[in-house]
Amino acid sequence: LTAYGWRYPYFGVNRDLILLVGLLLSAIAFFVLMWRYEDWRNDLYVVTPTHIIDIERTPFLFYETRREASLDNIQDIRYEVPGPWASLINCGDVVIETAGEGEFTFSLVRAPSAEQQEIFNRIEAMRQRRQEAERRRREEELGDWFAIYHEKIRGPDEG
């Protein structure tokens, strides 16, 4: 011990200085962790019946980007679980490759395989809706053709 407080025998550094530096580093680490958590929490990944939307915001709304792509443009969907801890809590990234808009990465989502399957289901539902609309259009077109045909067969004086 010295008159100024306890000292480390090898470093000759004051204990109060070590505590102050430790508290400062802890505060910085806490701020960085909170910033990263808030940054992750502010990101939105939306899958509508026809589009995927990726909205990325920084904390305190310093910056925001929004990207959107049609489900028609999706070429590949895969998910990545980055390690054993992520596998344990069932968390990972869903990576969607699109034509024209590039790659969308939905980071650290719960149950990435279920999210991948949900996007596949939305794509299939959209395709079925389009096929149904096309079938209805063809039926209407065919009805119009038959009406014109019967009009031609009957002749102008029978109508």
Side-chain angles (χ1 to χ4, degrees), residues 14 17 19 58 64 69 93 98 113 125 140 153:
N14 189 329
L17 181 62
L19 288 175
T58 60
E64 178 177 319
D93 300 340
T98 65
S113 61
E140 289 174 7
I153 287 180

Side-chain angles (χ1 to χ4, degrees), residues 43-44 53-58 63-67:
D43 294 344
L44 296 174
I53 304 167
D54 182 8
I55 302 170
E56 293 187 16
R57 296 184 205 145
T58 60
Y63 181 74
E64 178 177 319
T65 61
R66 177 187 175 106
R67 294 187 330 143

Side-chain angles (χ1 to χ4, degrees), residues 72-85:
D72 284 338
N73 293 340
I74 293 178
Q75 295 177 330
D76 184 37
I77 306 170
R78 68 182 185 281
Y79 68 92
E80 300 167 352
V81 179
W85 291 109

